[in-house]
Amino acid sequence: MSIVFVPKKLRGKAKINQETIQRLLDENDQLIRCITEYMQKGRAVECVQYQQILHRNIVYLATIADASPDSTLPASNSTFNETSTPTGNGHGGT
């Protein structure tokens, strides 16, 4: 059973730490492997329960990420200026 299942009396009180997140990621890895294996064997019906658990885990992780005050996006534009240099004399190639 997924570790995302938390009794109602404990919901909202659980401490989220790196270990919990890593366990979820490891569980998701195993779920994807199971889903892939069942799909290769043509047993799509059995995949549904694992897909539902995977979906719930992903939504839970996304909720944690959205609520995290220290989450920052990587600077994807940091190399833009380094790779986009004008050609010629610096006047757009004229």
Side-chain angles (χ1 to χ4, degrees):
M1 178 172 274
S2 177
I3 62 173
V4 172
F5 291 107
V6 178
K8 287 185 179 184
K9 64 182 178 180
L10 297 177
R11 289 187 187 168
K13 298 177 183 176
K15 292 184 180 180
I16 306 300
N17 57 30
Q18 189 62 37
E19 181 182 332
T20 303
I21 293 170
Q22 188 59 52
R23 283 190 305 180
L24 275 169
L25 293 172
D26 293 342
E27 181 179 356
N28 288 353
D29 178 63
Q30 187 61 36
L31 286 166
I32 291 168
R33 291 175 192 271
C34 288
I35 291 166
T36 302
E37 182 178 331
Y38 278 127
M39 291 297 284
Q40 288 174 349
K41 292 179 180 181
R43 299 170 60 183
V45 174
E46 288 89 347
C47 291
V48 173
Q49 64 180 346
Y50 295 118
Q51 289 171 338
Q52 289 172 339
I53 295 169
L54 178 62
H55 178 264
R56 182 172 41 244
N57 287 357
I58 291 171
V59 169
Y60 182 70
L61 287 169
T63 303
I64 292 170
D66 288 345
S68 178
D70 62 341
S71 63
T72 58
L73 295 175
S76 61
N77 292 335
S78 62
T79 60
F80 178 74
N81 290 334
E82 297 170 6
T83 59
S84 61
T85 57
T87 59
N89 60 6
H91 296 286
T94 58

